[in-house]
Amino acid sequence: MVRSPSIDKNGIRKGEWSKEEDDKLRAYINKYGIWNWRQLPQFAGLSRCGKSCRLRWKNYLQPNVKRGNYTKDEEELIFNLHNQLGKKWSVIATKLPGRTDNEIKNFWHTHLKKRTEGLNSTLPSNEKKKKSRRQTSQISKQEIDEISFESDKGREIKSPTLSEGLTGSPNESCCTELSQSYSDAPLTDLFSWVQKNGARAKSCETSDGLLSQELNIEDYESEEGSASNEMPFRCSDVSDLMAWFGEDNSVTPSIEGLGDIWSQSFETDIYMINAHEQGLSDPGLVHPSSPATEEFFLWSYDLSDVCIR
DNA sequence: AACCACACCAACCGCGGCGCA
DNA sequence: CTGCGCCGCGGTTGGTGTGGT
């Protein structure tokens, strides 16, 4: 019932979301919140555009999203609100906790449209006049101001920064600042950092502990347009990664690369956590919410003795 | 069983608003 | 004032499910 997965010319995935992608996005947002949709996918290790991530989160992954099974009350409310407000789905959605504008819009098109059309023959003609988008938007804002928003309030916005990764004490600086601060980081320092992370990953007894680095380099290549050589191996050791960096002079890791490595390492840790807790060889991602997970996460990024500056 | 038409809905797309430099 | 980037909204699409023939 959804569009089949595809990859556009920029390497951005489209179409149906896989469970792994859902887990990555959910885990990332639960950990760091929403700070910039455009950049978030890179840091979450997703080959998706920001818009797609936003939509997936808002309409499907966000906590408390209700799915299907509209009650009679909800149906009546949608019907009445639509009569009052027209196609202002986002405003209508604020009156129905757990329902998204997209879902309400779909529900109206599939269930209530005919009913409305039946009544429309008796409505005054000005009910049918189309408002300009500007008019619609202004009205929406005024109405929205009257409605209390609880769902997204109070979520702490924390973006992962390299300094966070290195110190294990998250701060609130954004990745833009990060890229400015560390864009000149020498390659050797990157290697030190990767080696440090990699060594820890290896110690966790997972066969694919450095899967993250493989993903990172693929992403990095596509961004830099230097993908003449495909990623030649699946990293099994940090020395492979370092060797590969060293062989390819066209690759000069920047902070974006570091950020990807960082986020992917996070995902690797999630794999490891699950493997540890459940004793499974290929368990998939788990949600980083348990105290044990949090503890493991902080341990895994206790890199206070490394400085890239 | 095979085919067809329609229902359904997740995801995409384009546009406008807003904030900031 | 202007241009740019980001976000959110509403319209639309694409593909699967389902019921009828």
Side-chain angles (χ1 to χ4, degrees):
Chain A
M1 203 181 288
V2 293
R3 300 175 190 213
S4 51
S6 63
I7 299 175
D8 74 6
K9 61 181 188 292
N10 297 317
I12 302 298
R13 273 177 61 86
K14 291 183 171 186
E16 186 177 14
W17 279 67
S18 67
K19 183 178 184 304
E20 185 181 353
E21 288 178 307
D22 282 347
D23 288 339
K24 278 187 175 184
L25 182 60
R26 191 187 291 112
Y28 186 88
I29 290 176
N30 276 303
K31 186 72 186 175
Y32 297 107
I34 299 158
W35 50 283
N36 181 312
W37 281 118
R38 196 180 170 88
Q39 295 185 53
L40 188 150
Q42 292 178 339
F43 283 79
L46 291 163
S47 300
R48 293 274 181 176
C49 68
K51 253 185 178 182
S52 181
C53 291
R54 179 187 154 271
L55 208 64
R56 185 63 177 173
W57 172 256
K58 192 178 165 190
N59 291 332
Y60 197 85
L61 299 175
Q62 190 170 225
N64 305 321
V65 170
K66 284 193 222 167
R67 314 204 59 73
N69 299 326
Y70 280 79
T71 64
K72 197 71 187 169
D73 287 345
E74 285 179 316
E75 185 178 325
E76 285 303 314
L77 189 53
I78 292 169
F79 184 75
N80 292 331
L81 287 171
H82 180 267
N83 281 341
Q84 292 169 32
L85 303 170
K87 296 178 180 180
K88 286 180 276 182
W89 307 118
S90 58
V91 179
I92 294 173
T94 63
K95 305 285 191 186
L96 287 104
R99 301 293 187 186
T100 69
D101 54 355
N102 200 42
E103 199 182 6
I104 291 169
K105 178 173 60 183
N106 283 332
F107 182 73
W108 185 84
H109 276 298
T110 55
H111 293 95
L112 301 178
K113 190 176 183 178
K114 292 168 194 136
R115 182 174 157 188
T116 304
E117 283 170 351
L119 289 176
N120 256 1
S121 57
T122 62
L123 287 174
S125 59
N126 63 357
E127 276 287 310
K128 300 174 188 174
K129 280 184 186 170
K130 189 179 180 181
K131 289 175 182 161
S132 72
R133 280 193 65 127
R134 181 168 180 84
Q135 286 173 316
T136 302
S137 175
Q138 286 173 337
I139 293 166
S140 296
K141 181 151 179 57
Q142 185 181 353
E143 285 160 347
I144 287 167
D145 287 345
E146 295 166 4
I147 299 165
S148 64
F149 289 91
E150 297 300 330
S151 59
D152 279 337
K153 275 187 179 176
R155 178 180 287 284
E156 191 178 2
I157 305 300
K158 292 186 291 184
S159 68
T161 66
L162 184 57
S163 58
E164 174 185 340
L166 294 171
T167 62
S169 56
N171 60 42
E172 296 192 5
S173 58
C174 76
C175 72
T176 305
E177 295 167 20
L178 176 70
S179 69
Q180 287 164 353
S181 302
Y182 290 93
S183 59
D184 295 323
L187 192 58
T188 50
D189 288 336
L190 167 68
F191 288 160
S192 300
W193 181 83
V194 169
Q195 189 161 29
K196 186 82 176 178
N197 264 336
R200 286 186 181 279
K202 280 182 68 183
S203 70
C204 290
E205 301 174 359
T206 60
S207 60
D208 55 353
L210 288 176
L211 170 65
S212 55
Q213 276 72 19
E214 176 183 351
L215 290 173
N216 164 61
I217 291 172
E218 285 175 344
D219 291 345
Y220 186 77
E221 280 185 340
S222 65
E223 284 174 14
E224 295 297 305
S226 60
S228 57
N229 53 336
E230 291 180 37
M231 183 63 185
F233 54 87
R234 180 188 182 88
C235 289
S236 58
D237 190 297
V238 70
S239 60
D240 292 340
L241 175 67
M242 293 174 67
W244 185 81
F245 265 128
E247 286 167 9
D248 190 341
N249 292 333
S250 68
V251 175
T252 305
S254 67
I255 196 60
E256 285 79 14
L258 290 172
D260 284 345
I261 288 174
W262 189 90
S263 63
Q264 292 294 341
S265 294
F266 163 68
E267 295 299 341
T268 301
D269 286 345
I270 300 304
Y271 272 101
M272 291 190 291
I273 294 158
N274 207 24
H276 270 280
E277 291 180 350
Q278 299 181 28
L280 301 173
S281 57
D282 184 19
L285 292 173
V286 294
H287 192 284
S289 58
S290 71
T293 302
E294 184 74 11
E295 183 184 339
F296 190 97
F297 181 86
L298 292 175
W299 167 79
S300 134
Y301 287 95
D302 182 14
L303 302 169
S304 53
D305 55 336
V306 178
C307 180
I308 282 199
R309 257 186 224 278

